[in-house]
Amino acid sequence: MFGLMRSRVCSQTNELKLHRRLHYCGTCKTLESMYGRKSRIMLNHDTVFLAEIMSAISSGHKFPQKWHFSYHTFNCLSSPREKEQIPLPLQFAATTAVIITEFKIADHITDSNKIAWKAAGQFFSSSFAKASAQLHEWCFPLDELRLALLSQEPREAEARISKLTADALLADLAEPTAAATALFFRHGARLTGQSAHEPDMASLGRSFGAMAYLIDALDDYGKDLKRGDFNAIQAAFRLKSDIRSIPAEIRHALAEKIGVLRGEMETALGRLPMSEEMKALFTMRLQENLSRKTGRLPGDRADMAKLSQTECSITQHACRVRLSLSERWKNAVAQAEKIVLEQNNGVPSGIFPRCGSYVRRTFVFSSVVPIAFLAPYQASDAATYRECMSLLLNMIFLGTAAGTLARLVTRPVGLAMQSLTALTGGQLLLFGAGRHAGGPNINPENHLKNGKESGNSCGDCCDGCDCCDCGACDCGGCDC
């Protein structure tokens, strides 16, 4: 699983953002509940997508708003303790993440035989055993999965001497990943009571797995050649080891092949029993992530035009921008006042109750303001004082707060460098030519407009957000 279905929550309505957060954070918390806290490191966007698909097609899990309180709180340490409290889609997604990690580590051990990978296998061995037992309980064809994934190495060995065409060889090499993903999606339909749609889910998973394999080979081409590892694209197109970049005509052929797989995936999505809103959301998410990884594929412009009306109806497409200090302060005060009003519904009578109410309001206000100042976007999602305080135990909040503090410390240095650069006619080349202190490869003229930050630079849209259209970063450390 390679992050092909990562979500851009900053462009979604509050309802869809909550839906995504409950599945993303819910899968993470379920990993801890079922397989121990150490297993949280196995969380990935594509198993979360599997949970979302299962929820969308299941009549019993379409309303995550009714899930257990531990899933709604922002506190990362709050997890469900009873299995009955865990929705089935999250159980299956968490188990899938663990099993995928087991095979991934085994593959690294086979390839490199490094002690670090062997140690990782031993460290997670108990989690792997629990996940296998859980799949057996669900009657999952685990032997079929192992047979498919273990065929990868013989296929790679055969590919070095194969006489197949490039397309046929790529299809053969991608088959284990495609078959394994199809098994997970097919069984997901069965567990959610949608056995009639098992073929559609299997088709969705097969196309998804094949696409992930090709994009992984595309992303790792240079790294594989440098380390002397097997690369499917090099083997299929018989590229020499001294060719460090993929030729343009081969890239175009791969883009067309990925475009065909994307079309198959969208067709399968269209046949599943879910709302048109969710179908459009998953389709747009796929297109956006493919565009980010491979550039615009053939037919994207027409496809996005068809979806434009639907997109406008289900999203608020405005990427978050970095706020100025004064804007942060105003927003923090407004959020604190909102929380105080929520806490103080009635005016007590009597001098002592009034004094107690005043002290309580003062305490609530003073504790909310710093939280809302450090991470305004996460704090704005907190509707109650309890939710706001739970952010103090939220890993994404802590990362955002640390980034905010770092920017507050380094911002004067960045502004001073901009001034020196302007005074020297752009000839000051400290910390790398053409780089701005606020982020990589940023044009200072575009970064500042009328004395304010424009919001088009790396970091401006990354405050608690998981996308960045400037292309300068990938913001993979946050999702809520």
Side-chain angles (χ1 to χ4, degrees):
M1 299 303 212
F2 306 99
L4 285 181
M5 294 306 291
R6 183 172 158 194
S7 175
R8 292 176 38 148
V9 294
C10 65
S11 62
Q12 296 175 3
T13 62
N14 290 333
E15 182 180 356
L16 290 176
K17 283 193 290 185
L18 175 63
H19 182 274
R20 171 65 180 182
R21 181 173 73 82
L22 290 177
H23 283 85
Y24 183 88
C25 297
T27 303
C28 183
K29 292 181 177 184
T30 301
L31 279 166
E32 177 182 350
S33 297
M34 296 183 68
Y35 304 111
R37 184 162 298 170
K38 60 187 178 182
S39 67
R40 285 192 173 203
I41 197 174
M42 305 177 195
L43 179 69
N44 65 79
H45 292 282
D46 295 324
T47 50
V48 175
F49 168 59
L50 176 58
E52 289 181 280
I53 286 285
M54 290 178 65
S55 292
I57 67 174
S58 170
S59 59
H61 301 282
K62 285 186 177 179
F63 305 102
Q65 293 84 354
K66 298 181 180 179
W67 288 355
H68 189 260
F69 167 77
S70 58
Y71 287 118
H72 288 265
T73 179
F74 291 93
N75 182 358
C76 288
L77 300 181
S78 177
S79 301
R81 298 306 173 194
E82 302 295 333
K83 192 173 181 180
E84 293 73 20
Q85 299 171 342
I86 306 175
L88 184 59
L90 299 186
Q91 291 187 40
F92 190 65
T95 305
T96 299
V98 174
I99 290 296
I100 287 174
T101 304
E102 178 184 7
F103 281 103
K104 191 71 174 176
I105 291 178
D107 183 58
H108 281 299
I109 292 175
T110 301
D111 289 344
S112 63
N113 201 32
K114 290 184 178 179
I115 297 178
W117 289 115
K118 293 181 179 179
Q122 289 294 324
F123 183 70
F124 292 112
S125 59
S126 60
S127 298
F128 296 155
K130 289 180 182 178
S132 297
Q134 181 60 70
L135 287 180
H136 280 300
E137 183 179 330
W138 284 327
C139 299
F140 183 89
L142 194 56
D143 292 338
E144 186 178 349
L145 175 69
R146 294 184 186 279
L147 185 64
L149 291 177
L150 291 177
S151 70
Q152 186 69 56
E153 188 175 2
R155 289 171 188 267
E156 291 179 359
E158 181 67 24
R160 300 180 188 275
I161 57 174
S162 175
K163 302 299 182 182
L164 294 175
T165 64
D167 284 346
L169 190 54
L170 284 175
D172 181 69
L173 290 169
E175 175 60 23
T177 305
T181 312
L183 284 175
F184 281 113
F185 276 74
R186 177 188 289 274
H187 206 75
R190 185 179 306 172
L191 289 177
T192 52
Q194 295 290 345
S195 297
H197 291 277
E198 285 186 35
D200 296 328
M201 284 285 280
S203 176
L204 174 63
R206 176 170 288 277
S207 300
F208 188 34
M211 185 189 303
Y213 182 83
L214 290 179
I215 291 179
D216 183 56
L218 192 65
D219 287 344
D220 293 345
Y221 178 82
K223 182 170 61 177
D224 288 341
L225 262 62
K226 184 177 181 180
R227 296 186 305 193
D229 294 342
F230 178 86
N231 184 274
I233 295 174
Q234 182 194 23
F237 292 95
R238 311 294 193 271
L239 298 177
K240 296 181 179 179
S241 58
D242 58 346
I243 301 178
R244 295 296 176 178
S245 61
I246 301 174
E249 62 274 12
I250 294 179
R251 281 188 171 274
H252 181 73
L254 291 171
E256 288 185 338
K257 190 173 184 64
I258 291 172
V260 171
L261 291 170
R262 189 201 70 187
E264 294 174 357
M265 194 173 164
E266 292 173 359
T267 300
L269 277 171
R271 291 196 296 260
L272 292 176
M274 67 177 73
S275 67
E276 294 299 323
E277 179 184 53
M278 296 306 295
K279 290 178 183 179
L281 182 67
F282 291 141
T283 299
M284 284 185 294
R285 188 188 299 177
L286 175 62
Q287 291 180 353
E288 288 170 348
N289 283 291
L290 284 179
S291 296
R292 182 183 301 171
K293 287 181 172 291
T294 64
R296 288 291 175 186
L297 299 174
D300 270 0
R301 186 183 300 275
D303 291 340
M304 293 303 286
K306 293 178 182 178
L307 289 169
S308 60
Q309 293 183 347
T310 307
E311 177 182 7
C312 292
S313 66
I314 69 173
T315 64
Q316 299 168 338
H317 197 80
C319 197
R320 296 169 177 174
V321 299
R322 188 199 300 176
L323 302 173
S324 65
L325 295 181
S326 60
E327 289 171 332
R328 279 176 176 266
W329 178 255
K330 290 178 182 178
N331 288 351
V333 170
Q335 179 67 9
E337 291 175 345
K338 175 183 173 182
I339 297 294
V340 167
L341 289 175
E342 189 275 335
Q343 286 287 110
N344 190 48
N345 293 325
V347 179
S349 59
I351 184 170
F352 290 109
R354 284 177 180 270
C355 290
S357 177
Y358 177 78
V359 171
R360 184 179 66 178
R361 292 199 306 269
T362 303
F363 177 78
V364 170
F365 182 88
S366 60
S367 58
V368 170
V369 165
I371 294 175
F373 180 81
L374 290 174
Y377 292 115
Q378 279 106 355
S380 65
D381 291 334
T384 65
Y385 181 69
R386 184 176 182 178
E387 288 183 354
C388 192
M389 290 299 101
S390 68
L391 283 170
L392 295 174
L393 295 174
N394 182 274
M395 295 302 296
I396 297 172
F397 166 81
L398 294 176
T400 301
T404 298
L405 292 173
R407 288 200 296 270
L408 290 175
V409 173
T410 59
R411 187 170 182 269
V413 178
L415 293 176
M417 287 188 59
Q418 286 184 42
S419 300
L420 289 173
T421 303
L423 290 173
T424 56
Q427 299 302 313
L428 185 65
L429 301 179
L430 297 178
F431 301 107
R435 288 184 177 268
H436 177 264
N441 298 326
I442 295 172
N443 186 343
E445 294 181 0
N446 294 332
H447 184 60
L448 294 179
K449 292 183 180 179
N450 300 323
K452 292 183 65 177
E453 292 158 329
S454 66
N456 293 324
S457 65
C458 179
D460 290 349
C461 62
C462 300
D463 185 12
C465 156
D466 65 354
C467 79
C468 185
D469 285 336
C470 61
C473 75
D474 203 26
C475 301
C478 51
D479 187 81
C480 297

